[in-house]
Amino acid sequence: MKEIYLAGGCFWGVQKYFDRFGGVALTEVGYANGPDSAPTYEEVCDSSGHAETVHIIYDENKITLTKLLEYYFMVIDPLSVNRQGNDIGIQYRTGIYYTDERQLPEIRSVVGQQEKKAGQPLAVEVAPINNFFPAEECHQKYLDKNPFGYCHIPRKMFDL
């Protein structure tokens, strides 16, 4: 099993989206790459510096990191800074946070393809995961618990 951390705006939709793919064994929403103390949701919304992030554990024999990242780029605006959909703030920045430097060539390849497609540098952070604090239980699988909750990801994307 491998893992990757993806920040793509509000983590509710990002989690629901990645839960749909075969090979994804586990997802957990949380707060990443901010100060080294565990924040509350309210602190994150008040610009704590953390990004709303989804920790993804996947079986590389069933789904590749390249494929996960291709799916990721289907539901984010990679040129937007600190914003996805109607969500605005540093916690909604986009980022690919890795745990193993051996993932970098694959990450760089996909990011390079996306930059070429966009014709400009992306606003997607690529960095090692510095810290990750699981979000409160009420945020885990939020859109399963609240099917009509807000999400910047179009609903049709949940049916891929």
Side-chain angles (χ1 to χ4, degrees):
M1 300 300 260
K2 299 284 185 177
E3 63 184 333
I4 193 74
Y5 294 80
L6 300 176
C10 176
F11 51 23
W12 297 339
V14 177
Q15 181 179 45
K16 183 167 184 70
Y17 177 68
F18 280 100
D19 279 343
R20 300 288 193 206
F21 298 111
V24 172
L26 177 77
T27 61
E28 178 179 38
V29 298
Y31 315 115
N33 284 20
D36 287 334
S37 57
T40 64
Y41 182 71
E42 290 74 23
E43 290 168 332
V44 171
C45 290
D46 194 31
S47 300
S48 70
H50 297 85
E52 289 192 19
T53 302
V54 180
H55 178 202
I56 300 171
I57 298 176
Y58 63 99
D59 181 343
E60 66 181 331
N61 294 313
K62 295 181 179 176
I63 191 165
T64 64
L65 178 57
T66 294
K67 186 51 85 177
L68 285 171
L69 294 177
E70 287 170 352
Y71 286 142
Y72 170 71
F73 280 104
M74 291 173 71
V75 294
I76 66 162
D77 175 352
L79 303 176
S80 184
V81 176
N82 297 337
R83 179 181 188 148
Q84 291 294 304
N86 293 325
D87 297 321
I88 301 170
I90 194 169
Q91 74 269 27
Y92 300 119
R93 68 187 183 267
T94 53
I96 301 168
Y97 307 124
Y98 56 89
T99 59
D100 183 340
E101 290 205 10
R102 291 175 291 189
Q103 293 173 304
L104 269 174
E106 206 169 348
I107 293 168
R108 287 184 178 140
S109 174
V110 175
V111 169
Q113 290 168 11
Q114 293 296 320
E115 283 183 336
K116 188 174 183 179
K117 182 177 168 183
Q120 60 184 301
L122 305 183
V124 178
E125 293 181 327
V126 175
I129 188 77
N130 290 330
N131 54 45
F132 179 82
F133 303 100
E136 299 85 345
E137 183 56 37
C138 63
H139 296 290
Q140 304 298 332
K141 312 286 187 194
Y142 182 87
L143 290 178
D144 290 341
K145 299 172 192 171
N146 302 280
F148 299 105
Y150 167 76
C151 182
H152 68 283
I153 297 173
R155 300 271 173 195
K156 67 182 180 181
M157 298 306 287
F158 299 140
D159 295 329
L160 285 181

